[in-house]
Amino acid sequence: MTAAMHVFDSGAALAEGLAGAVASALSAAIATRGQACIAVSGGSTPKAFFKALSGKAIDWSKVTVTLVDERFVDPDSDRSNERLVRENLLVDAAAAARLEPLYYPASTAEEAAAAAAKQTAGIGCPFDVVILGMGGDGHTASFFPGGSRLAEALDPATPRGVMTMEAEGAGEPRLTFTFSSLQDARFLVLHIEGNGKKDILAKAEAPGDEAEMPIRAMLRRASSPLQIYWAP
């Protein structure tokens, strides 16, 4: 699947441009189906985008927000993607949206993943919008090189849902939607900033093993065209 590159002059322009595109996609979904669903990623890159999106004139009461992946940490932790979303996206007009978290208090990450899979089963078939990030090692979602269940996560035959992942570079155990859950989003985005990330992307676009740079799975096998939003 061919990816499309959208280039912006600055991080601020990127945040606003992506927010506008996502707002249009969510509004179109609401107009067509009466509701919309979006899965977003964590990290430092999305903050400005979240803040821009939160102010868009969308019928937020008809939007469900969930996470592409999450750390197995309490939502009060500064490592929590849920906390990032609550504090930066689900504010102002967007406070009316419904959040479906991936973290649930449980004795193990596996139990939390099972709960999340059950709670999110009714959304995202496919998602209207998925916003992916990319790490310096070429991971996306919690598809880490060397991940404990990477082959399973990337296998298109693995059912939609949430599963666990552990990896040396991941820190805590992770909860992540599977490749099959994300790859057919109606609007599938890779959101990256900086020349370093652009260089990593170029490496991922070159021949090589998906297990070494899992973002390659999205670049090569996603059934929806990947829209790359980048600024230096």
Side-chain angles (χ1 to χ4, degrees), residues 124-173:
C125 299
F127 283 109
D128 293 302
V129 179
V130 165
I131 308 294
L132 300 169
M134 182 180 67
D137 57 0
H139 85 265
T140 192
S142 282
F143 309 152
F144 284 88
S148 57
R149 302 174 67 186
L150 180 61
E152 182 183 356
L154 295 181
D155 188 341
T158 299
R160 294 179 185 272
V162 180
M163 63 182 291
T164 60
M165 187 72 67
E166 296 186 39
E168 185 175 343
E172 305 87 348

Side-chain angles (χ1 to χ4, degrees), residues 26-38:
L26 295 176
S27 294
I30 292 168
T32 303
R33 291 176 293 280
Q35 59 185 2
C37 54
I38 177 173

Side-chain angles (χ1 to χ4, degrees), residues 208-219:
D209 191 342
E210 289 182 5
E212 295 176 358
M213 297 191 76
I215 187 61
R216 285 176 171 148
M218 289 295 175
L219 289 165

Side-chain angles (χ1 to χ4, degrees), residues 23-132:
S24 294
L26 295 176
S27 294
I30 292 168
T32 303
R33 291 176 293 280
Q35 59 185 2
C37 54
I38 177 173
V40 299
S41 296
S44 58
T45 300
K47 283 186 179 180
F49 157 63
F50 286 164
K51 291 177 180 178
L53 181 59
S54 70
K56 295 300 180 184
I58 302 167
D59 187 349
W60 285 102
S61 67
K62 296 178 180 177
V63 176
T64 299
V65 179
T66 191
L67 296 153
V68 167
D69 65 328
E70 178 62 283
R71 300 174 176 91
F72 186 55
V73 297
D74 188 272
D76 291 333
S77 169
D78 60 7
R79 297 272 291 165
S80 168
N81 288 341
E82 178 181 340
R83 178 178 176 180
L84 177 76
V85 168
R86 288 189 185 278
E87 293 181 350
N88 294 277
L89 175 56
L90 301 182
V91 297
D92 301 326
R98 178 169 67 100
L99 177 66
E100 285 288 358
L102 299 191
Y103 172 85
Y104 286 86
S107 58
T108 66
E110 288 73 18
E111 291 176 3
K118 182 178 180 179
Q119 288 298 119
T120 59
I123 62 172
C125 299
F127 283 109
D128 293 302
V129 179
V130 165
I131 308 294
L132 300 169

